[in-house]
């Protein structure tokens, strides 16, 4: 999909003003996800698991060429076909060739963020091939003609009434249908799709280089059917989604599920090694694994951004982000939203094309604390911000405002004069200034306290308490901070 990241301020404002229910729906779902994560993390030594996972993925990324070659060799040994897609166009060309080769007219899709990144649904539709999402959340937003709002829960921005309306229009269900009745309607439709589809398309949570194992995690069972009922299975997998050893997989399956949904492990875990063998009752006749670069090599080569590729797409950082919860994912204008999107998008698409996403954060650090592979997202956000300033990509008025502030703040006499002027002008000045004006547009007005401290005296005449000296500051025995 084409990024609309440059429109983030406008899209966020429109969501808040015209779709206020989105904030409540997203916040409720995100906080529920995070509560489950916290309980699941508390059941294990989460910090030790996270540090180990960080080391494994960092090792993988710093030896990626070796492990990609190993994964290809093992997959081919199992009878799978391996393709390499340097960009989205190449990935779509590979899909075109496979669709033509096998005479595909209908595709069933398991949940896959990389397929969203590549725009496969629209591409297939343009070729006259019907593609149906089988994940319930993805199916709902497909009916609504919307992109996902969340990595894990693509339809969390929609209320039950929204879903009732679209199911009533499409499936004829009652306007007051229960969630169970809505699920039954979707299940009935999707069963027919599974049986009629010529090709199943999925992503891949992990590919184990040592064994050539494609691992898929889900909770509905739709991916398992999408990979076994159609005669052809095509998996689009980012080149960073590898694990070095078979022994690594068990912990990553558990850690990812705990971070994503708070489960000890996903309800369904499929481990695929190739097409169906002669003695197996089900499975595809052909398995194609497409390793997708699409900007990932550029991110890997970036000394400030490469750690973002450790991401396992759990969505934990979105759930804890106070900025993301205000609007959901659509305001970000790209398939990867929230904190991880704000650091991945500039690397995959270019910083100029994705501003101001690195600035769409309070830098509270909650994302780094939640991340199962310890991606230092706040540090990466700051790195992109510094680069934006160095490259002159921030607004001119904003750059001028900060230069003026720096000039005032480094000159004591000028700083005191400016403070007096600001106190006299009050909020009348702030709303017309760069940066402060934007701040005030969505917050309570700035109001000087009327109390200043100068040479040890407050303006009301009271003498302030003297500052504690070094000995008194350490009198409690605690280290001074």
């Amino acid at each position: 999909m084409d990024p609309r990241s440059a429109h983030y301020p406008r899209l966020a404002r429109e969501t808040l003003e015209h779709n206020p229910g989105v904030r409540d729906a997203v916040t409720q779902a995100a906080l529920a996800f995070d509560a489950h994560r916290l309980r699941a993390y508390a059941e294990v030594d989460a910090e030790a698991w996270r540090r180990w996972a960080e080391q494994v993925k960092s090792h993988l990324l710093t030896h990626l060429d070796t492990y990609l070659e190993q994964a290809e060799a093992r997959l081919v040994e199992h009878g799978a076909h391996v393709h390499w897609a340097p960009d989205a166009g190449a990935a779509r060309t590979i899909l075109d060739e496979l669709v033509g080769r096998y005479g595909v007219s209908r595709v069933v899709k398991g949940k896959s963020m990389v397929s969203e990144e590549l725009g496969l649904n629209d591409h297939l539709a343009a070729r006259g091939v019907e593609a149906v999402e089988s994940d319930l959340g993805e199916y709902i937003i497909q009916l609504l003609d919307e992109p996902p709002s969340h990595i894990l829960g693509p339809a969390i921005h929609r209320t039950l009434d929204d879903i009732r309306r679209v199911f009533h229009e499409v499936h004829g269900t009652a306007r007051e249908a229960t969630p169970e009745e809505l699920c039954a309607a979707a299940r009935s439709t999707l069963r027919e799709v599974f049986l009629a589809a010529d090709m199943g398309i999925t992503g891949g949570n992990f590919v184990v280089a040592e064994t050539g194992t494609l691992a898929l995690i889900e909770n509905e069972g739709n991916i398992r059917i999408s990979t076994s009922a159609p005669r052809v299975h095509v998996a689009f997998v980012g080149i960073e989604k590898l694990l070095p050893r078979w022994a690594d997989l068990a912990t990553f399956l558990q850690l990812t599920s705990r971070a994503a949904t708070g489960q000890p492990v996903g309800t369904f875990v499929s481990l695929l090694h190739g097409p169906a063998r002669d003695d197996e009752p089900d499975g595809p006749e052909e398995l194609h694994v497409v390793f997708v670069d699409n900007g990932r090599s550029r991110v890997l080569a970036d000394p400030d951004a490469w750690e973002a590729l450790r991401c396992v797409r759990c969505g934990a950082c979105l759930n804890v982000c106070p900025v993301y919860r205000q609007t959901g994912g659509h305001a970000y204008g790209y398939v990867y939203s929230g904190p991880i999107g704000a650091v991945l998008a500039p690397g995959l698409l270019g910083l100029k094309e994705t501003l101001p996403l690195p600035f769409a954060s309070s830098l509270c650090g909650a994302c780094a604390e939640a991340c199962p592979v310890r991606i230092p997202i706040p540090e990466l956000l700051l790195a992109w911000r510094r680069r934006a300033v160095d490259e002159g990509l921030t607004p001119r008025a904003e750059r001028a405002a900060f230069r003026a502030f720096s000039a005032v703040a480094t000159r004591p006499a000028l700083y005191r004069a400016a403070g007096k002027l600001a106190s006299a002008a009050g909020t009348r000045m702030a709303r017309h200034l760069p940066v402060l004006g934007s701040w005030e547009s969505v917050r309570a007005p700035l109001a000087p306290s009327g109390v200043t401290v100068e040479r040890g005296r407050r303006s009301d005449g009271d003498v302030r308490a003297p500052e504690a000296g070094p000995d008194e500051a350490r009198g409690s025995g605690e280290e001074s901070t």
Side-chain angles (χ1 to χ4, degrees):
M1 61 181 291
D2 293 329
R4 298 188 299 156
S5 307
H7 303 293
Y8 173 80
R10 176 179 60 80
L11 295 173
R13 190 179 305 110
E14 289 177 356
T15 299
L16 292 170
E17 293 177 355
H18 303 299
N19 296 290
V22 168
R23 176 194 285 183
D24 294 337
V26 171
T27 297
Q28 182 178 358
L31 291 180
F33 278 139
D34 192 50
H36 296 324
R37 176 192 65 84
L38 288 171
R39 284 197 294 270
Y41 272 15
E43 294 171 355
V44 298
D45 188 348
E47 189 58 27
W49 285 29
R50 294 172 67 229
R51 290 186 179 279
W52 173 84
E54 173 191 6
Q55 293 169 1
V56 171
K57 288 295 287 185
S58 292
H59 167 76
L60 178 281
L61 292 172
T62 53
H63 300 79
L64 187 57
D65 54 345
T66 299
Y67 287 116
L68 283 170
E69 291 176 356
Q70 185 180 18
E72 179 185 30
R74 299 290 88 77
L75 284 164
V76 170
E77 287 176 3
H78 297 318
H81 303 276
V82 176
H83 309 262
W84 300 92
D87 53 35
R92 292 190 288 263
T93 298
I94 292 168
L95 180 59
D96 285 344
E97 193 277 326
L98 296 176
V99 165
R101 182 193 306 179
Y102 297 110
V104 174
S105 61
R106 175 178 282 189
V107 167
V108 63
K109 290 181 71 260
K111 187 177 184 307
S112 167
M113 294 304 293
V114 74
S115 74
E116 297 281 352
E117 175 188 337
L118 300 172
L120 297 188
N121 284 12
D122 289 342
H123 181 72
L124 288 170
R127 286 183 53 94
V129 177
E130 181 185 15
V132 180
E133 297 285 352
S134 61
D135 173 85
L136 182 57
E138 291 281 354
Y139 180 65
I140 290 169
I141 63 170
Q142 185 177 33
L143 294 180
L144 292 165
D145 193 26
E146 293 180 345
S149 181
H150 188 282
I151 291 174
L152 184 66
I156 66 170
H157 62 294
R158 287 292 186 169
T159 65
L160 177 57
D161 284 339
D162 293 334
I163 300 168
R164 282 169 170 159
R165 281 193 293 271
V166 70
F167 270 56
H168 175 73
E169 295 171 1
V170 175
H171 297 300
T173 53
R175 293 184 182 277
E176 299 300 324
T178 65
E180 291 76 15
E181 291 169 336
L182 297 173
C183 287
R187 185 182 298 116
S188 177
T189 298
L190 291 173
R191 280 177 176 170
E192 296 180 6
V193 175
F194 288 132
L195 295 175
D198 306 299
M199 175 183 286
I201 293 179
T202 71
N205 290 98
F206 305 104
V207 173
V208 180
E210 182 182 46
T211 59
T213 304
L214 173 65
L216 294 155
I217 310 171
E218 57 169 325
N219 281 325
E220 298 175 11
N222 56 288
I223 291 180
R224 181 161 291 183
I225 304 176
S226 299
T227 61
S228 58
R231 67 180 188 274
V232 181
H233 171 206
V234 183
F236 289 87
V237 184
I239 57 173
E240 81 281 15
K241 300 302 284 294
L242 270 63
L243 292 177
R245 304 174 303 158
W246 173 257
D248 300 326
L249 181 60
T251 304
F252 269 94
L253 291 173
Q254 296 176 71
L255 184 57
T256 302
S257 296
R258 289 178 185 274
T261 59
Q263 297 169 273
V265 71
T267 304
F268 296 92
V269 176
S270 299
L271 305 179
L272 310 179
H273 292 88
R277 298 179 178 85
D278 294 338
D279 59 345
E280 293 178 334
D282 54 24
E285 298 173 9
E286 300 281 345
L287 170 62
H288 295 262
V289 177
V290 183
F291 284 114
V292 178
D293 189 323
N294 202 33
R296 287 161 174 79
S297 292
R298 186 168 58 250
V299 177
L300 183 61
D302 191 318
D304 292 326
W306 71 274
E307 290 182 278
L309 293 179
R310 288 204 297 265
C311 178
V312 294
R313 306 294 193 272
C314 67
C317 63
L318 281 68
N319 299 330
V320 298
C321 179
V323 176
Y324 169 84
R325 290 200 301 259
Q326 305 309 303
T327 63
H330 290 168
Y332 289 78
Y334 188 50
V335 61
Y336 303 116
S337 58
I340 190 61
V343 295
L344 262 181
L348 295 177
L349 303 173
L351 179 57
K352 183 177 180 180
E353 289 73 18
T354 53
L355 281 177
L357 291 189
F359 294 87
S361 170
S362 65
L363 296 178
C364 66
C367 50
E369 294 178 3
C371 178
V373 288
R374 290 171 47 87
I375 300 172
I377 294 177
E379 295 178 18
L380 302 188
L381 289 169
L382 288 172
W384 285 121
R385 292 183 185 188
R386 284 193 295 269
R387 197 170 296 182
V389 173
D390 292 342
E391 295 178 11
L393 299 177
T394 53
R396 290 183 180 178
E398 182 176 303
R399 295 199 301 271
F402 278 110
R403 282 197 298 268
F405 176 79
S406 176
V408 171
T410 55
R411 293 168 173 81
L414 189 56
Y415 185 81
R416 286 194 292 270
K420 292 177 181 178
L421 178 61
S423 296
T427 60
R428 293 191 301 274
M429 177 187 294
R431 67 173 62 97
H432 300 295
L433 293 175
V435 183
L436 286 179
S438 298
W439 178 276
E440 275 210 348
S441 67
V442 291
R443 293 173 175 83
L446 297 171
S449 67
V451 178
T452 62
V453 178
E454 188 177 52
R455 295 182 181 178
R457 285 186 184 276
R458 299 194 327 188
S459 60
D460 57 10
D462 289 342
V463 178
R464 66 174 179 175
E467 295 183 0
D471 295 334
E472 290 87 346
R474 288 192 288 269
S476 63
E478 298 179 356
E479 183 180 356
S480 173
T481 58

